[in-house]
Amino acid sequence: MSRPEHGAGPSGAWRDVLATLALVAAWLAATAWLRPLMVPDEGRYAGVAWEMVRSGDWLTPTLNGLPFFHKPPLFYWLSGAALSLFGLVEIAGRAASLCGATLGSMALYLFTRHWCGQAAARRTLWVLLLQPLLFIGGQFANLDMLVAGCITATVLALAHAALRFEQGQPHRRALWLGYALAGLGVLAKGLIGFVIPALTLGLWLLLRWRWRTLWALLSLPGVAIFLLVAAPWYVAMQMRFDDFLHYFFVVQHFQRFSVGGFNNVMPVWFYPAVLALLSLPSLVWCPHLLDRGYWAGAFGPRATQQGAVRLLMLVAVGSVLLFFSIPKSKLVGYVLPAVAPLAWLLADASQRLATTPGRRRAWAGSVASGGLLALAVVGWLTLHQDYSLRGLGQTLRAQHQADEPVYMLEEYFYDVPFYAHLRAPVRVVDDWGTPAVKQRDNWRKEIADAGEFDTAAAQRLLLRPEALLPALCAAPVSWVMAEQYLAPRYPFLAQAEAVRTVHEVTLWRVRAAQLTACAETPNGGSAGK
């Protein structure tokens, strides 16, 4: 395995890195502004980031004004910073995902350039950037791409330190960088930020019988750096909310991983099938992955440098598949940490077949078809926007006054506060007293769980149906949003002004003075004054 050419000197290497970084960022962000936020995920996470901006509280994530501890804050910090700089636009709400995809891509490029050479690094980066999972995940506003980038960068930094240690070269800076990146991973999505890198590096070193290297990667200064990055937020939240650590780690980590009752139950073969399907047709160029000779020098104490890197990528893919195939609940985004090492294998294993100009063109076309597929998905979502209420939120923004309360009936429309630029939480009307609220993993359970961390705010914001009409009568003008089929349950809506309907969701302007029921209440005579 060749080393990179450094003839251009340090300044040339930095120019290459900066040019590559600009190319990666431009490609990943090229279409990130086209389509509206998709609900529930994008509306939820971009909305939480917006709430940090509007409240000025950058420590406690809130969903509709209630403490929201499903995930840690790194995504909200990054996207919130972008929203502060660029305003409430979609690409800013997706900034954290773009950062994660860029981090993982650049980490793979730099690692490959150092250990495999410039040509291999460029080939690998090209394959990675054209993977549909990376391209779409990099512009989808949820936490999966951010933690995937952190995990990829952590694994490669620690592997870089390990290989340098084995060659008798200075390795501590890379080692400490790996620990810092693991801390960011824990701030991105919790324990998997260091569990998956630890699993990957541990298996990789054990398969190569590198016990001394394993011990060399255990660093007290590294642990201190990791804790300095990751721990302060968790400590601060536990000091503010007594039940935080139990809810975050026991409920949202261990119970979600080990028990049923959550959404998206899939069979154990789900993730291998997803990776294989979305790697076609590039995968058909890689028969050497099944060739014993390809893995020569990868195992045991006499493993070669080339075999060590190949084995690292294989173990990185396998660790992700193994870890996330265990729980019953499976989402496509969970497999994103496997995309970068798989792209490395696709680029490396296909190199032997693409030896003639004709085959190289066919291989390039196969790889490019993945990028075309990703662009087609983005284009389709741009043209078919039935997953978004952006139009309704924009209408509310244009006509809503700051002192007019907003009500959502039996549904929380995640993206509306973002597009309406609401400066205060909405009031959500539902039968919050029924045990069924906590039995399904949906928006009701999310908001009800959040309300338990701030019961005073929950009493103001989570209303039962019988409390809605008195609340409407207490304000001269209110706004109500609900799916159209719910209108018969609330007869007073017939006396309200239906402002706009989008995807069977209607926005009403409710004037208390025009409601017959308000005239019969003690405040009815003054509501419209």
Side-chain angles (χ1 to χ4, degrees):
M1 186 173 291
S2 62
R3 295 293 300 273
E5 300 81 6
H6 294 289
S11 61
W14 275 109
R15 284 196 298 269
D16 171 73
V17 171
L18 293 176
T20 303
L21 176 61
L23 174 66
V24 170
W27 165 248
L28 293 174
T31 59
W33 54 274
L34 282 175
R35 57 184 181 82
L37 298 174
M38 182 179 291
V39 293
D41 279 11
E42 290 199 291
R44 177 195 300 116
Y45 296 118
V48 173
W50 159 235
E51 290 195 31
M52 275 193 172
V53 176
R54 80 183 185 193
S55 69
D57 182 354
W58 289 80
L59 273 181
T60 306
T62 58
L63 177 65
N64 194 45
L66 302 172
F68 181 62
F69 294 132
H70 277 217
K71 301 295 185 292
L74 185 59
F75 179 97
Y76 312 130
W77 290 344
L78 293 173
S79 288
L83 293 170
S84 298
L85 289 173
F86 304 110
L88 270 70
V89 292
E90 289 86 356
I91 192 171
R94 296 172 175 136
S97 298
L98 291 168
C99 288
T102 303
L103 174 63
S105 300
M106 289 303 299
L108 186 67
Y109 174 77
L110 293 173
F111 180 87
T112 306
R113 191 183 72 163
H114 184 91
W115 295 105
C116 310
Q118 184 83 311
R122 289 175 176 171
R123 180 186 179 92
T124 299
L125 183 63
W126 190 41
V127 173
L128 175 61
L129 293 179
L130 292 174
Q131 292 298 302
L133 279 172
L134 181 93
F135 186 80
I136 296 173
Q139 53 183 271
F140 189 81
N142 74 359
L143 286 73
D144 294 330
M145 192 69 250
L146 179 60
V147 73
C150 292
I151 289 171
T152 298
T154 301
V155 169
L156 295 178
L158 294 175
H160 182 69
L163 292 172
R164 288 182 66 86
F165 170 79
E166 292 169 7
Q167 294 187 356
Q169 299 176 6
H171 68 284
R172 295 190 185 280
R173 287 191 297 178
L175 178 63
W176 296 339
L177 174 62
Y179 275 89
L181 289 166
L184 289 178
V186 172
L187 282 177
K189 208 178 178 182
L191 295 177
I192 63 169
F194 78 87
V195 169
I196 292 181
L199 176 63
T200 301
L201 271 297
L203 288 175
W204 178 57
L205 293 174
L206 290 176
L207 289 172
R208 296 170 56 235
W209 291 82
R210 301 287 183 170
W211 301 101
R212 288 186 64 248
T213 307
L214 181 60
W215 283 110
L217 293 187
L218 301 178
S219 166
L220 287 178
V223 171
I225 292 171
F226 170 81
L227 292 175
L228 185 63
V229 173
W233 179 78
Y234 290 92
V235 173
M237 290 301 96
Q238 180 61 26
M239 292 176 66
R240 287 191 183 186
F241 304 96
D242 292 338
D243 202 38
F244 164 74
L245 290 178
H246 176 269
Y247 180 79
F248 186 87
F249 288 109
V250 176
V251 176
Q252 290 300 320
H253 278 64
F254 297 113
Q255 289 184 10
R256 184 174 286 272
F257 185 85
S258 60
V259 304
F262 296 96
N263 291 334
N264 304 100
V265 174
M266 293 291 177
V268 70
W269 47 261
F270 176 71
Y271 288 127
V274 167
L275 269 186
L277 181 63
L278 292 179
S279 297
L280 293 173
S282 300
L283 192 60
V284 301
W285 288 85
C286 303
H288 289 295
L289 290 175
L290 302 177
D291 185 355
R292 180 180 297 180
Y294 178 76
W295 300 105
F299 297 89
R302 297 186 179 180
T304 64
Q305 178 180 299
Q306 179 178 4
V309 175
R310 285 177 176 169
L311 182 62
L312 172 68
M313 301 303 171
L314 177 66
V315 173
V317 174
S319 297
V320 174
L321 294 179
L322 174 65
F323 185 86
F324 286 113
S325 294
I326 295 173
K328 296 179 180 179
S329 176
K330 297 178 177 68
L331 296 172
V332 171
Y334 292 174
V335 82
L336 285 174
V339 172
L342 178 61
W344 191 98
L345 291 171
L346 294 175
D348 184 64
S350 64
Q351 190 169 4
R352 297 184 185 181
L353 287 182
T355 54
T356 65
R359 284 189 171 184
R360 280 196 294 269
R361 287 193 293 270
W363 173 82
S366 298
V367 174
S369 65
L372 293 175
L373 173 62
L375 289 171
V377 171
V378 173
W380 191 90
L381 292 173
T382 302
L383 295 175
H384 300 83
Q385 300 183 4
D386 54 349
Y387 54 82
S388 169
L389 292 178
R390 178 168 62 180
L392 212 60
Q394 291 173 339
T395 298
L396 181 60
R397 177 191 175 191
Q399 302 189 34
H400 173 259
Q401 301 298 316
D403 59 344
E404 297 170 351
V406 179
Y407 298 84
M408 295 182 180
L409 309 186
E410 302 183 32
E411 182 72 56
Y412 183 71
F413 302 103
Y414 287 100
D415 56 341
V416 169
F418 181 94
Y419 285 116
H421 296 197
L422 295 181
R423 292 283 174 178
V426 305
R427 301 175 187 181
V428 187
V429 179
D430 207 344
D431 189 4
W432 296 106
T434 177
V437 168
K438 292 295 193 76
Q439 292 175 356
R440 294 186 59 192
D441 187 27
N442 58 14
W443 69 270
R444 288 183 178 87
K445 189 176 188 303
E446 284 183 356
I447 292 182
D449 283 355
E452 292 183 357
F453 287 97
D454 189 343
T455 55
Q459 289 177 355
R460 298 193 309 271
L461 300 173
L462 307 183
L463 305 183
R464 295 191 182 187
E466 60 269 20
L468 174 59
L469 190 57
L472 292 174
C473 293
V477 177
S478 302
W479 296 85
V480 173
M481 294 182 61
E483 295 186 66
Q484 284 182 310
Y485 79 91
L486 291 174
R489 299 186 192 177
Y490 301 91
F492 61 84
L493 289 176
Q495 299 174 323
E497 175 190 358
V499 177
R500 186 176 181 182
T501 298
V502 175
H503 305 315
E504 299 185 357
V505 178
T506 300
L507 173 67
W508 288 273
R509 179 190 283 110
V510 180
R511 301 184 187 277
Q514 296 176 352
L515 298 184
T516 302
C518 289
E520 302 171 0
T521 65
N523 296 327
S526 60
K529 295 181 181 179

